[in-house]
Amino acid sequence: MGIIELSLKDLMSAAALIIVVVIITIWQQLKLTKSIIISAIRTVIQLLAIGFILHAIFAQPKFIWVIALATVMLLVASHEAVARQKKRFSGGWNFSFSLFSLLFASFGITIFTLNIIIGAHPWYAPQYAIPLLGMVIGNTMTGISLSLNQLTQTVWQQHRIIEQRLLLGESAKQAIADIHRDSIRIGMIPSINAMAVAGIVSLPGMMTGQILAGISPIEAVKYQIMIMFILTTASSFGIMLALSLSSKRLFDERQRLRLDRLINN
Amino acid sequence: MAKLSISKLSFLQFGPFDLTVQPNECVVISGPSGAGKSLLLRAIADLDPQQGIISLDGKNNFLFSPIEWRKKVGLLPAESEWWYETVGEHFRHIESTWFTQLGFDPAIAKRAINGLSTGERQRLALLRLLTNKPAILLLDEATANLDSENTQRMEALISAYKQQQQAAIIWVSHDIQQIARIADKHFMLRNNSLTQVS
């Protein structure tokens, strides 16, 4: 079973659909026109670029190239994870926390999967390593982003309660425990939901892709099951790491709540 | 019982301040709003960063863990905060005599916070603070939102505690009649200086 290749004309037809959407947004005055056009152009440029890069790396699978690409993915994801937060830590701590958490959780889980579960040869074989890492980083990034946002927002809103608890002799950890837990939950819900509805409400993208590429649905499903598990694991680890670093940063060495360390984004 | 000493205490743009409060002594601080009265209490409770020396019986505050310090130096804010559903959940351990002393039925522990009046909440907040047996009480306009009946109840409880535990008290208050009833010493905090007026 081969794959039907898309011609330039086919892509132009798809682009025509986006132009219809743009016309509708102008007519409805949704003020989204510029964002849609810019984002659509970004999609084309970014995907073409990664297409050429992957093409080159697949042709010459060197470890250094895989690492270089992984580093770029990590840096961009660390930035994006904190880009849309309402509050952030002053002095670049947000970026450092998400970088550190993404590095440990995503790279750790991906390396484990490549070596122990898939057993690719070499283990960094780009055909496996890059798409896998991409999915893991993307998922973990979303989780960290949601959790961090929840944590900083809630602490901002409930600082009087936290301070009251400190005044009664609770430790910083106790005073923030409920908020910390709720924030972790918020970040983990998307992964858990994705597992719960997989195959019923949604056909996961990777599985769809494999099926379109002609792989048997059973093989595609096996891969997807593994993916769901590692995505959930990586995002859970990433969230917990990022949140415990952030919760610590909210207090100083005398266990005072330091809201002055949070600034508006 | 313990003596609270503050020397060259400064925080944000305020200070330096010096103040000593003896056991079984109530020092009232009043002054215009924005003068830094609440911030002074927060600094003493080590809730905000500060420079200078705060000590209990000569022992510097950083020699205590922050948790120990805040249990010994109890700050009651003007408005109480509650985060669980019922009263009792906010108390680590409950002796029913505490509630009866304050004119409450011990069954109040099971009541929902939402159903309480401001006066009840403030009295319960004081009780919650006193269960730590603080040697020092910092009261930030503790009765400002209360009617005269509730104010009397609060004052009675605080003075009973002061006597029993020989507690040192710093009380921020604006009410001239109240100051006359409770103050052993009265300071004004104004233009960044703390001066004794009586």
Side-chain angles (χ1 to χ4, degrees):
Chain A
M1 197 161 47
I3 180 166
I4 305 169
E5 287 192 9
L6 291 183
S7 65
L8 185 63
K9 203 181 107 224
D10 299 332
L11 290 180
M12 295 302 259
S13 312
L17 293 175
I18 287 292
I19 293 185
V20 172
V21 175
V22 169
I23 292 168
I24 293 172
T25 57
I26 295 172
W27 172 50
Q28 291 279 328
Q29 300 179 350
L30 295 180
K31 292 187 176 151
L32 280 172
T33 318
K34 214 173 131 192
S35 324
I36 295 181
I37 293 174
I38 291 175
S39 302
I41 293 172
R42 276 186 65 167
T43 292
V44 173
I45 296 173
Q46 287 166 198
L47 289 181
L48 277 179
I50 195 68
F52 282 116
I53 291 169
L54 289 181
H55 188 76
I57 295 179
F58 283 8
Q60 252 194 344
K62 286 217 175 75
F63 185 60
I64 184 82
W65 293 119
V66 176
I67 282 295
L69 187 56
T71 308
V72 173
M73 289 160 84
L74 176 70
L75 290 175
V76 173
S78 305
H79 172 76
E80 292 294 321
V82 296
R84 277 164 289 278
Q85 306 276 314
K86 279 204 175 163
K87 304 261 176 223
R88 64 179 175 86
F89 289 103
S90 54
W93 286 96
N94 271 47
F95 179 79
S96 320
F97 291 160
S98 68
L99 179 79
F100 184 79
S101 315
L102 276 172
L103 179 67
F104 268 76
S106 309
F107 280 52
I109 293 294
T110 305
I111 291 170
F112 174 85
T113 308
L114 289 170
N115 284 291
I116 310 290
I117 301 180
I118 298 180
H121 287 290
W123 66 268
Y124 56 84
Q127 184 199 344
Y128 291 94
I130 291 167
L132 211 57
L133 188 64
M135 281 187 281
V136 171
I137 287 185
N139 218 57
T140 311
M141 177 190 84
T142 306
I144 290 176
S145 177
L146 288 171
S147 288
L148 253 183
N149 196 48
Q150 177 75 13
L151 179 81
T152 50
Q153 286 269 85
T154 319
V155 165
W156 188 268
Q157 283 160 6
Q158 301 194 2
H159 69 275
R160 292 160 69 84
I161 288 178
I162 298 170
E163 290 189 332
Q164 174 74 80
R165 299 181 73 152
L166 292 174
L167 284 172
L168 288 167
E170 288 193 3
S171 67
K173 215 173 180 175
Q174 287 170 312
I176 203 176
D178 297 336
I179 297 173
H180 188 102
R181 246 195 314 272
D182 285 347
S183 305
I184 290 180
R185 286 171 46 87
I186 295 278
M188 287 178 62
I189 285 173
S191 299
I192 298 170
N193 282 353
M195 287 198 294
V197 303
I200 305 174
V201 180
S202 70
L203 278 187
M206 189 221 60
M207 187 178 111
T208 317
Q210 282 189 315
I211 294 174
L212 280 177
I215 289 180
S216 103
I218 303 296
E219 284 310 309
V221 161
K222 285 200 277 185
Y223 258 88
Q224 191 60 43
I225 291 171
M226 175 201 74
I227 295 285
M228 293 309 240
F229 289 169
I230 69 167
L231 291 187
T232 305
T233 312
S235 77
S236 308
F237 287 172
I239 289 167
M240 288 177 197
L241 208 53
L243 276 222
S244 64
L245 292 167
S246 305
S247 283
K248 276 219 179 74
R249 178 73 196 153
L250 285 166
F251 297 89
D252 65 14
E253 75 290 349
R254 293 295 292 175
Q255 304 196 21
R256 307 175 187 117
L257 180 64
R258 296 296 297 269
L259 281 188
D260 54 321
R261 291 177 176 176
L262 281 182
I263 53 178
N264 285 321
N265 222 347
Chain B
M1 61 181 272
K3 181 179 81 170
L4 177 73
S5 311
I6 294 156
S7 142
K8 298 197 180 77
L9 180 67
S10 54
F11 42 91
L12 296 176
Q13 73 272 36
F14 300 102
F17 300 118
D18 295 277
L19 183 67
T20 303
V21 191
Q22 301 291 341
N24 196 23
E25 185 180 51
C26 179
V27 168
V28 172
I29 297 177
S30 47
S33 63
K37 303 181 300 294
S38 297
L39 289 173
L40 173 64
L41 296 191
R42 287 171 62 96
I44 297 172
D46 203 1
L47 199 61
D48 286 332
Q50 81 296 110
Q51 292 92 46
I53 297 165
I54 315 168
S55 60
L56 269 189
D57 280 339
K59 192 177 166 190
N60 219 314
N61 89 308
F62 54 75
L63 297 173
F64 297 86
S65 79
I67 296 161
E68 263 182 303
W69 180 262
R70 291 185 197 122
K71 281 183 177 172
K72 284 186 191 294
V73 181
L75 167 58
L76 186 71
E79 272 171 56
S80 62
E81 299 289 335
W82 303 85
W83 49 96
Y84 297 122
E85 217 166 300
T86 63
V87 174
E89 290 169 279
H90 295 82
F91 289 78
R92 272 196 211 93
H93 52 104
I94 294 180
E95 288 169 28
S96 53
T97 52
W98 294 340
F99 291 110
T100 48
Q101 270 174 10
L102 259 172
F104 285 122
D105 182 340
I108 197 163
K110 294 207 169 60
R111 278 189 47 199
I113 294 294
N114 282 334
L116 300 173
S117 71
T118 317
E120 286 172 319
R121 280 188 216 190
Q122 192 65 352
R123 274 186 290 152
L124 287 167
L126 177 62
L127 189 60
R128 180 175 64 178
L129 184 67
L130 296 185
T131 56
N132 284 334
K133 290 249 156 56
I136 313 294
L137 273 184
L138 310 172
L139 307 170
D140 190 2
E141 309 201 35
T143 61
N145 302 322
L146 304 184
D147 57 22
S148 61
E149 193 190 333
N150 276 309
T151 300
Q152 272 174 23
R153 283 183 176 144
M154 288 282 282
E155 284 178 16
L157 181 72
I158 292 164
S159 78
Y161 183 81
K162 179 186 163 207
Q163 296 241 308
Q164 273 170 29
Q165 302 291 326
Q166 297 288 295
I169 299 176
I170 302 180
W171 193 327
V172 169
S173 174
H174 291 295
D175 180 343
I176 297 164
Q177 290 169 350
Q178 180 175 57
I179 295 170
R181 287 195 298 269
I182 59 172
D184 296 313
K185 285 179 188 162
H186 180 199
F187 286 77
M188 283 294 274
L189 179 55
R190 187 191 282 154
N191 300 330
N192 206 22
S193 92
L194 195 57
T195 43
Q196 190 167 357
V197 288
S198 66

